[in-house]
Amino acid sequence: MLLLLAPLHALAVETMRIAMGDAQGDVRVSGKGLSFGSDTEDARFSPLEQEAVVVRRRGSRLELNGAPVMGSAVRFRAGLDSQALRAGDMAVRGDVVVRLYKDGLQLINVIPLEDYLAAVLGGEMPVSFPPEALKAQAVAARTYALQKKLEAYGAPFYVGSSVLHQVYGGVNREDARTRIAVEATRGEVLTYDLAPIEAYFHASCGGHTESGWDALQRDLPYLQAVDCPCGRLPASRWSATVTDAELRAALGQSPEGFRVTSRTATHRVNRVTASGGASVDGVTLRRKLGYTKLKSLDFDAERTSGGWRLNGRGYGHGAGLCQWGAKALADQGRSYRDILQHYYPGTELQQLY
């Protein structure tokens, strides 16, 4: 039996395409009222009359429960918009696309933007934070997503689901409080010169955010170094121990004579050197040592027996919205609009839809 995929009506909502992950030989998709169609916005979906199917790669073709499918991708939908689909180890709203990718399969979630944001908030910010902080995060996340969509328009997906973009864990990360924050700011985005900004954000800046150029090599007028109340919070302080072996691997030679040789205007490490001549920029050092160990580049180092003690401030690259700072400002009675203006100076808050 050959399963044909044919077109119908498009959904008139803003959607995102999120890479959920890759799979090898096959993947199981399940959901109530399951139907399938082609990976187009005007696809006709045909009922499957079963609540679970297995999509398998067979050479350069796809099979659905053993039957060949035309095309390089197949898209699944639950019976009702509010129902979730499970694909692999993630439950999501919206549609799930399974496509041929490299030697295996790739899973993509096609989801209404506002549903996506409700889950992103639950992955990016503690839901116990004040409502105004959650609203500020909702606007930043919406703006970031739309900017990435414009940048990648026409590509199979716009963003991933890991910390490299925005953390997205599907319906398990939704919460009533994230839904409220998203709905309260529905359609609101930050713009500069009438275009959505690159709305970067991070957990904690340690007292001063970083310029876009120093943090990300993005020379953007709205990513400026600003003072932040998070520096007074215990959550902004950290310490870590780095062994000589770890530092040797990061530097590519002996760590003897390791020292910080230059810093940015906000005290973040710009470059380190060792007596043997090794010289590494701060961003590379953090990547090689690991982001969870070297939580930020605002640190001081002291020699210990067999290693180094790093005492630091903040968590993340430091550019844009500081999440713990947003909490502190919200606790002071500042609105989400005030918070956004503080961390993205010169931007405008606009109602896109």
Side-chain angles (χ1 to χ4, degrees), residues 162-200:
S162 73
V163 293
L164 295 178
H165 290 109
Q166 299 190 121
V167 176
Y168 172 63
V171 297
N172 291 335
R173 303 312 295 265
E174 293 178 8
D175 183 271
R177 289 163 288 191
T178 67
R179 280 277 174 195
I180 290 170
V182 169
E183 187 58 35
T185 63
R186 175 175 286 271
E188 291 185 350
V189 297
L190 290 166
T191 64
Y192 189 88
D193 285 344
L194 302 180
I197 70 167
E198 296 181 38
Y200 293 99

Side-chain angles (χ1 to χ4, degrees), residues 15-19 108 143-160 165:
T15 58
M16 290 294 295
R17 295 179 64 93
I18 316 299
I108 296 170
T143 305
Y144 180 91
L146 285 173
Q147 194 276 329
K148 288 297 181 185
K149 178 175 181 175
L150 289 171
E151 194 176 74
Y153 199 79
F157 63 90
Y158 309 141
V159 294
H165 290 109

Side-chain angles (χ1 to χ4, degrees), residues 8-352:
L8 189 63
H9 303 295
L11 295 174
V13 295
E14 190 71 51
T15 58
M16 290 294 295
R17 295 179 64 93
I18 316 299
M20 300 166 59
D22 302 339
Q24 286 307 309
D26 56 65
V27 63
R28 186 175 187 270
V29 180
S30 61
K32 293 184 178 180
L34 197 63
S35 60
F36 76 103
S38 61
D39 184 21
T40 59
E41 292 306 310
D42 58 353
R44 174 181 295 128
F45 281 77
S46 304
L48 282 163
E49 299 180 354
Q50 52 192 308
E51 294 188 356
V53 295
V54 174
V55 183
R56 178 172 287 107
R57 178 172 187 146
R58 188 76 69 184
S60 61
R61 301 184 67 179
L62 291 173
E63 289 182 353
L64 185 57
N65 281 350
V69 179
M70 288 186 63
S72 61
V74 59
R75 186 159 162 174
F76 298 93
R77 178 173 295 173
L80 298 174
D81 290 341
S82 60
Q83 290 177 339
L85 288 175
R86 178 168 288 279
D89 59 358
M90 190 184 296
V92 297
R93 301 195 189 280
D95 298 348
V96 169
V97 174
V98 183
R99 65 185 286 261
L100 297 172
Y101 181 67
K102 296 182 178 178
D103 294 328
L105 302 170
Q106 184 178 52
L107 280 66
I108 296 170
N109 185 198
V110 184
I111 182 173
L113 175 57
E114 303 300 307
D115 288 337
Y116 166 68
L117 293 173
V120 164
L121 256 65
E124 287 287 1
M125 178 177 275
V127 297
S128 60
F129 273 19
E132 295 303 302
L134 288 169
K135 291 177 191 176
Q137 179 65 68
V139 174
R142 182 183 295 108
T143 305
Y144 180 91
L146 285 173
Q147 194 276 329
K148 288 297 181 185
K149 178 175 181 175
L150 289 171
E151 194 176 74
Y153 199 79
F157 63 90
Y158 309 141
V159 294
S161 56
S162 73
V163 293
L164 295 178
H165 290 109
Q166 299 190 121
V167 176
Y168 172 63
V171 297
N172 291 335
R173 303 312 295 265
E174 293 178 8
D175 183 271
R177 289 163 288 191
T178 67
R179 280 277 174 195
I180 290 170
V182 169
E183 187 58 35
T185 63
R186 175 175 286 271
E188 291 185 350
V189 297
L190 290 166
T191 64
Y192 189 88
D193 285 344
L194 302 180
I197 70 167
E198 296 181 38
Y200 293 99
F201 52 87
H202 58 281
S204 170
C205 68
H208 304 278
T209 66
E210 185 61 285
S211 72
W213 178 254
D214 285 328
L216 305 160
Q217 286 71 60
R218 307 293 296 150
D219 191 12
L220 301 168
Y222 47 80
L223 293 182
Q224 302 175 14
V226 300
D227 291 338
C228 176
C230 85
R232 297 187 292 271
L233 302 175
S236 72
R237 302 283 170 164
W238 58 269
S239 62
T241 299
V242 178
T243 66
D244 282 342
E246 289 173 318
L247 200 52
R248 182 181 293 108
L251 295 173
Q253 68 169 63
S254 169
E256 283 303 315
F258 171 75
R259 64 193 179 95
V260 176
T261 51
S262 67
R263 294 182 182 272
T264 70
T266 63
H267 194 259
R268 289 174 172 84
V269 172
N270 187 48
R271 184 160 290 276
V272 299
T273 60
S275 56
S279 179
V280 174
D281 65 88
V283 172
T284 300
L285 179 70
R286 185 167 180 241
R287 175 175 55 80
K288 289 189 173 183
L289 287 178
Y291 298 120
T292 55
K293 171 160 287 208
L294 194 55
K295 292 186 176 181
S296 80
L297 290 176
D298 187 359
F299 68 87
D300 299 297
E302 58 181 359
R303 193 71 161 108
T304 63
S305 176
W308 296 82
R309 180 76 170 178
L310 308 182
N311 298 304
R313 295 152 292 278
Y315 194 171
H317 51 63
L321 176 76
C322 171
Q323 293 170 330
W324 278 92
K327 177 190 184 302
L329 290 173
D331 285 339
Q332 294 171 14
R334 304 281 290 275
S335 73
Y336 76 96
R337 293 180 175 87
D338 295 333
I339 294 169
L340 292 169
Q341 260 314 301
H342 181 74
Y343 291 110
Y344 305 107
T347 61
E348 292 185 67
L349 186 62
Q350 295 193 346
Q351 192 81 43
L352 187 63

